[in-house]
Amino acid sequence: MLDNWRAQAACQDADPDLFFPVGTGGPALIQAEEAKAICRQCPVRAECLRWAMDDSRQVTGVWGGLREDERQALKRRERRRAAE
């Protein structure tokens, strides 16, 4: 079942492939930045990020304005803060 926040997502009309760049080189980074630009305008960015990190544990793609490596770094920071 889709969460209600998805109906408000800025990426509704964007090509889904944009949010799943292949590789880590220049073209993939440019594509990820284009996806992140859409995310920056999104009213439900926080909900999307939380869903990707907690509910579905997405490991690929741009979700909530963050690439997979950025989400992993955020999770590490959150774990360190929780341990303090």
Side-chain angles (χ1 to χ4, degrees):
M1 179 169 99
L2 292 178
D3 296 311
N4 290 337
W5 60 265
R6 289 187 186 200
Q8 300 171 43
C11 61
Q12 285 287 354
D13 297 323
D15 179 357
D17 290 339
L18 178 66
F19 295 86
F20 295 92
V22 176
T24 57
L29 292 175
I30 292 169
Q31 183 178 340
E33 286 305 315
E34 290 174 8
K36 291 165 73 172
I38 293 172
C39 295
R40 283 192 288 275
Q41 305 301 317
C42 187
V44 292
R45 180 179 176 184
E47 292 87 340
C48 177
L49 179 59
R50 190 57 40 208
W51 179 85
M53 291 180 63
D54 295 341
D55 297 342
S56 69
R57 298 181 184 195
Q58 293 293 317
V59 294
T60 61
V62 175
W63 292 91
L66 299 180
R67 295 183 321 260
E68 50 266 24
D69 60 318
E70 295 168 323
R71 291 193 306 277
Q72 290 171 355
L74 179 59
K75 274 195 176 258
R76 284 191 297 273
R77 286 192 302 272
E78 287 176 347
R79 282 194 297 264
R80 277 193 296 254
R81 273 185 240 155
E84 293 175 352

